[in-house]
Amino acid sequence: MEVQKEVPTPNPLTSAKPALNNKRVSPAGMKIINSVIFAAATGIAVSFFVTGGYIWIFVFIACVFFLSNKDAMNWTLLLVAALFIFVGFHSLGLLLLPYSSETIFNFFLSLLIFTGSMLFFQYKKERQEKLLKGKVEYLKNERVVEGFLQKRALELERTKIAMTKMTKDVLEERDRLEKEKAKATAILQSIGEGLFATGLDGNVILINSVAKELLELKEDVLGKLVHKAFVLYDEEGNIVPDEKWPINIALKTAGEINNTYVFIRKDGKKISFNITATPIKQRNQVIGAIGVVRDITKEREVDRMKTEFISLASHQLRTPLSAIKWFTEMLIAGDAGALNPEQSDFAKNIGDSTERMIDLVNSLLNISRIESGRIIISPEPTELKKLVESIATELRVKFNQKKQVFILSAHDSLPKINIDPRLITQVYLNLLTNAIKYSPEGGEITVIISRKDEEIISQVSDNGYGIPKDQQVKVFKKFFRAENAVKMETDGTGLGLYLIKAIVESSKGKIWFQSEEGKGTTFWFSLPVAGVTPKKGEVTLDSSSS
Amino acid sequence: MKIVLIIEDERPLLMALSSKLSHAGFSILQATDGETGLSTAMDAHPDLILLDIVLPKMDGLTMLDMLRRDDWGKTVPVIVLTNLSDAAKFEESMRKNVFDYLIKTDWKIEDVVIKVKEKLQLHDA
């Protein structure tokens, strides 16, 4: 809106300056002076001729000088006039000597009357002029005042119009803001997630219907401290203390926090929900916090169902597999009578395929467990050298079958590290099984365990077939098997490296490799000397070697 | 002759185990659900029980609970033989004083027999 700048309007009533500030003698005064000068000059002229005094010439010149000087005129005029009058009279006296006193008196009287009447008329005229001038001035002023008032009235009218327009604008703006607010409120209220906001003091300033419904809150929660509004439990079932409330953490740390909590409804039903608390910032200053509440009870339920499904599926798949496994074993063992070599060979093939099938089921189960994050990590102080030795003993038969040499070298004074030996066994087992599988007969397989700074590095290398360069990026991908590997060994699920990468990473380590086709492959994986923190979960891994 | 009670609802597996164990010289009792398994155990007092977990009527762990409440049942060696590789089930079994928790597909039947023998010899000793 345009803001009118206030310009001070000159007030004609006060700004009319008096016209008397010039130093000039008034016209009336001038007339008197002129008359006196006239009378005196006459006296001078006469006495000049009579007396013949040269001094008057000087007086005359001085007179002209003073009269021509405006500033000196006022004060000097009186003096000069007085002198002239005196000299005039003096000269007149000399002239009038021959006349009688009556004649002289009449002369002065007539001179006085003449001068007096002249002054009177002059005064009257001036007065009239003054009155007239005053009247004109008054009328002029009146007109100015009138004009001023009219102007003011006009201005007021304009202001009124502007104000009306402004009021209309303000009302429209208010309407618009109200609509905006209603829209924003509607959006917040219709959001599928629960939402609440607090001020810097932690008092609730906004809560949407989903949050109210989810947390069984009423409107009166507004203005109350958020952590007094309801009781929050952590996943272990402990009451969350005030300072650990996500909103309070967000307010204190000015950072985002995301956590899962449990709320117990009045009907006793437990609901799991996730709260993401974010500070509200204005010019980098935290002015409050906003919490988004997401009900994850259903997600948890689906997760539980998935677990159950996996458990059931694994049971269902494993039952027939165990039957095939055992009967094949019994056939080969001759429990149903001796087999001829061909029958025995067939039975062995059934046995091998069954083992692969079991391996696949175990790998799938393990992957689903790792991916769901429900894997149990129970660390215990472990000597990696001993762990690898025992794995190598297990694999002895396989090494011997391919006449491969196994070398284990561990640096002296390696500390025991806190890891889950069952999980890490899977890592060594997978890497070593791969090395055996993808190395020719008579190959050399080496494990070197060393310490580098705060990590224990395990190196597993072979001089086998290697991984083709163009396929190396996919090595840790699920179900990936290199082309040369597929050609050489049909056995394998493509899940082993994917799984061990997940295990190593869940143990806070890293895994990487180097490979050259035809020369061999080296895998390295690191584990922190500090070890792994235990993690509660629901499942452990099944043994699988794929 | 040592008596082994096999509680297993899958007939092929029951058959394989019975056949293998009788070949190994054990006297075999069979049950295909938890309830029958419990009553057979109480009546016959076998030397060892091979117990599946997923069973009709009464699951293996419930049956184990009931068994451990009995004076005789408290100490009878039990080997859980299942395909459920669930940590919770494993821990629960161990709390109920189970000698071993074996995953069927991970074990050769021959090794199961060895385990049974081992347990009974230990028990005898």
Side-chain angles (χ1 to χ4, degrees):
Chain A
M1 215 187 71
E2 201 182 319
V3 178
Q4 278 185 339
K5 211 171 172 184
E6 205 173 315
V7 180
T9 332
N11 188 340
L13 285 174
T14 54
S15 66
K17 285 180 186 169
L20 296 165
N21 61 347
N22 55 354
K23 287 184 176 172
R24 274 177 33 216
V25 181
S26 72
M30 279 305 287
K31 286 279 162 61
I32 298 165
I33 292 162
N34 290 345
S35 308
V36 173
I37 291 170
F38 176 74
T42 315
I44 290 162
V46 175
S47 68
F48 182 75
F49 287 108
V50 174
T51 61
Y54 292 101
I55 190 162
W56 296 111
I57 295 168
F58 170 73
V59 172
F60 182 75
I61 291 164
C63 207
V64 170
F65 169 74
F66 284 120
L67 283 170
S68 66
N69 188 324
K70 268 185 181 175
D71 290 331
M73 200 167 64
N74 288 350
W75 293 105
T76 52
L77 268 179
L78 278 173
L79 181 69
V80 174
L83 270 169
F84 281 179
I85 290 163
F86 172 75
V87 176
F89 274 104
H90 174 73
S91 309
L92 207 60
L94 291 173
L95 283 171
L96 295 175
L97 272 180
Y99 302 98
S100 67
S101 58
E102 195 184 347
T103 313
I104 293 166
F105 178 77
N106 284 340
F107 174 76
F108 276 109
L109 189 66
S110 55
L111 194 68
L112 197 69
I113 290 167
F114 172 73
T115 313
S117 54
M118 267 187 69
L119 285 171
F120 176 74
F121 286 120
Q122 188 67 30
Y123 168 76
K124 212 147 175 202
K125 195 184 164 194
E126 277 179 18
R127 183 157 173 85
Q128 260 180 352
E129 272 177 7
K130 201 176 171 183
L131 277 171
L132 194 68
K133 206 174 163 190
K135 202 170 180 179
V136 168
E137 192 73 21
Y138 172 76
L139 284 171
K140 208 168 133 193
N141 281 346
E142 202 177 40
R143 262 224 308 283
V144 168
V145 170
E146 203 177 304
F148 169 74
L149 286 175
Q150 270 175 2
K151 204 174 152 196
R152 278 311 235 194
L154 201 68
E155 272 172 16
L156 277 171
E157 190 61 31
R158 277 189 198 139
T159 313
K160 190 183 143 196
I161 292 165
M163 285 300 285
T164 315
K165 195 172 174 292
M166 210 163 81
T167 314
K168 204 179 145 210
D169 284 351
V170 167
L171 287 174
E172 273 173 13
E173 188 65 12
R174 197 186 67 186
D175 276 0
R176 199 181 64 77
L177 283 175
E178 268 172 6
K179 274 181 197 156
E180 283 289 319
K181 197 189 163 199
K183 210 161 106 185
T185 312
I187 290 170
L188 288 178
Q189 292 300 335
S190 327
I191 267 177
E193 315 273 31
L195 190 134
F196 61 92
T198 72
L200 190 58
D201 50 8
N203 288 329
V204 180
I205 52 171
L206 180 146
I207 185 155
N208 79 345
S209 50
V210 179
K212 271 191 271 186
E213 199 185 323
L214 196 65
L215 305 166
E216 295 183 319
L217 295 170
K218 288 185 186 139
E219 199 63 44
D220 62 6
V221 73
L222 289 173
K224 282 185 186 161
L225 280 171
V226 65
H227 55 259
K228 300 282 179 217
F230 56 96
V231 183
L232 199 61
Y233 295 87
D234 62 18
E235 286 194 281
E236 274 82 46
N238 307 310
I239 292 180
V240 176
D242 295 354
E243 69 276 8
K244 291 274 174 69
W245 270 63
I247 282 280
N248 293 343
I249 295 174
L251 285 173
K252 204 173 165 188
T253 63
E256 188 180 297
I257 172 156
N258 183 308
N259 240 327
T260 303
Y261 302 92
V262 175
F263 172 70
I264 301 171
R265 293 179 70 100
K266 278 172 194 149
D267 58 11
K269 197 180 157 200
K270 281 183 186 176
I271 52 168
S272 295
F273 57 86
N274 185 279
I275 297 183
T276 306
T278 321
I280 308 170
K281 287 180 185 170
Q282 208 173 51
R283 290 190 197 97
N284 266 336
Q285 286 277 312
V286 177
I287 55 159
I290 192 154
V292 177
V293 186
R294 201 161 56 86
D295 186 353
I296 55 165
T297 315
K298 275 183 194 156
E299 264 171 53
R300 286 287 161 99
E301 185 66 14
V302 169
D303 215 42
R304 198 186 56 76
M305 280 161 70
K306 187 184 155 197
T307 314
E308 264 180 17
F309 171 76
I310 289 165
S311 174
L312 208 71
S314 73
H315 184 252
Q316 297 304 333
L317 282 170
R318 277 164 157 183
T319 303
L321 282 172
S322 18
I324 300 168
K325 181 185 164 100
W326 288 351
F327 280 113
T328 313
E329 194 193 323
M330 283 156 76
L331 270 181
I332 296 166
D335 287 7
L339 301 182
N340 66 37
E342 203 179 9
Q343 286 169 334
S344 177
D345 196 34
F346 286 2
K348 272 179 191 154
N349 272 313
I350 298 171
D352 287 350
S353 299
T354 311
E355 284 306 323
R356 278 176 57 196
M357 193 77 145
I358 291 167
D359 227 25
L360 183 64
V361 169
N362 286 353
S363 293
L364 284 172
L365 274 173
N366 287 342
I367 281 166
S368 99
R369 287 161 183 174
I370 283 265
E371 282 180 346
S372 65
R374 296 177 303 112
I375 199 91
I376 299 169
I377 301 177
S378 34
E380 49 189 80
T382 310
E383 204 178 312
L384 290 180
K385 192 185 174 190
K386 278 194 177 165
L387 193 76
V388 177
E389 274 169 355
S390 71
I391 296 163
T393 313
E394 255 183 63
L395 293 171
R396 184 58 57 201
V397 184
K398 286 185 177 175
F399 284 130
N400 293 343
Q401 272 171 2
K402 288 186 92 172
K403 299 183 185 89
Q404 288 161 334
V405 183
F406 174 73
I407 302 160
L408 169 63
S409 154
H411 285 195
D412 292 335
S413 70
L414 278 181
K416 277 188 177 181
I417 60 169
N418 229 11
I419 45 124
D420 188 327
R422 273 160 300 185
L423 290 177
I424 301 305
T425 297
Q426 286 291 315
V427 181
Y428 285 117
L429 194 64
N430 266 280
L431 292 175
L432 286 172
T433 316
N434 279 348
I436 295 168
K437 268 202 233 173
Y438 305 117
S439 297
E441 283 200 1
E444 197 178 278
I445 294 159
T446 320
V447 173
I448 300 169
I449 308 169
S450 60
R451 179 177 179 162
K452 193 187 173 217
D453 303 326
E454 288 311 299
E455 284 180 329
I456 304 283
I457 314 278
S458 300
Q459 177 189 323
V460 180
S461 39
D462 63 57
N463 51 3
Y465 313 128
I467 306 161
K469 203 125 205 126
D470 60 324
Q471 293 176 32
Q472 289 188 0
V473 282
K474 296 184 201 157
V475 159
F476 292 110
K477 291 242 188 303
K478 216 191 291 190
F479 297 112
F480 170 77
R481 292 191 71 212
E483 276 170 19
N484 58 344
V486 178
K487 278 177 199 157
M488 275 172 263
E489 281 277 349
T490 44
D491 185 10
T493 58
L495 294 169
L497 288 175
Y498 173 79
L499 183 69
I500 64 168
K501 184 171 188 271
I503 294 174
V504 169
E505 283 170 0
S506 72
S507 305
K508 294 180 184 168
K510 283 194 279 287
I511 185 164
W512 65 100
F513 72 98
Q514 222 171 47
S515 184
E516 201 178 322
E517 216 177 342
K519 287 197 171 172
T521 306
T522 303
F523 273 90
W524 291 270
F525 71 93
S526 64
L527 291 169
V529 173
V532 193
T533 41
K535 183 175 160 289
K536 280 190 183 176
E538 292 150 55
V539 285
T540 52
L541 289 189
D542 284 310
S543 60
S544 63
S545 57
S546 51
Chain B
M1 196 185 272
K2 298 284 183 192
I3 303 168
V4 175
L5 167 62
I6 308 170
I7 310 172
E8 169 66 66
D9 60 330
E10 283 290 324
R11 297 225 170 248
L13 295 181
L14 185 61
M15 193 183 148
L17 286 167
S18 304
S19 161
K20 198 73 190 174
L21 285 166
S22 35
H23 268 105
F26 292 102
S27 170
I28 304 299
L29 288 171
Q30 297 181 338
T32 52
D33 65 77
E35 263 178 30
T36 321
L38 185 64
S39 58
T40 313
M42 297 300 195
D43 294 343
H45 286 196
D47 297 288
L48 185 138
I49 300 170
L50 278 178
L51 177 66
D52 192 9
I53 289 181
V54 182
L55 286 170
K57 291 187 186 170
M58 183 192 283
D59 72 87
L61 292 177
T62 314
M63 184 259 160
L64 193 59
D65 255 341
M66 315 280 268
L67 185 73
R68 293 302 189 214
R69 278 182 213 161
D70 182 73
D71 275 347
W72 164 82
K74 238 183 245 171
T75 51
V76 63
V78 174
I79 294 176
V80 169
L81 193 57
T82 180
N83 268 326
L84 279 186
S85 50
D86 187 315
K89 295 272 192 283
F90 173 74
E91 276 171 27
E92 200 181 334
S93 309
M94 284 306 168
R95 275 201 307 275
K96 286 166 185 164
N97 196 17
V98 158
F99 176 68
D100 257 311
Y101 187 99
L102 311 181
I103 305 290
K104 288 173 200 167
T105 49
D106 293 348
W107 284 76
K108 284 184 177 175
I109 197 156
E110 188 59 44
D111 294 334
V112 176
V113 176
I114 294 170
K115 206 73 178 166
V116 170
K117 282 182 181 166
E118 190 185 299
K119 181 65 201 165
L120 286 175
Q121 274 158 16
L122 278 174
H123 189 65
D124 289 341

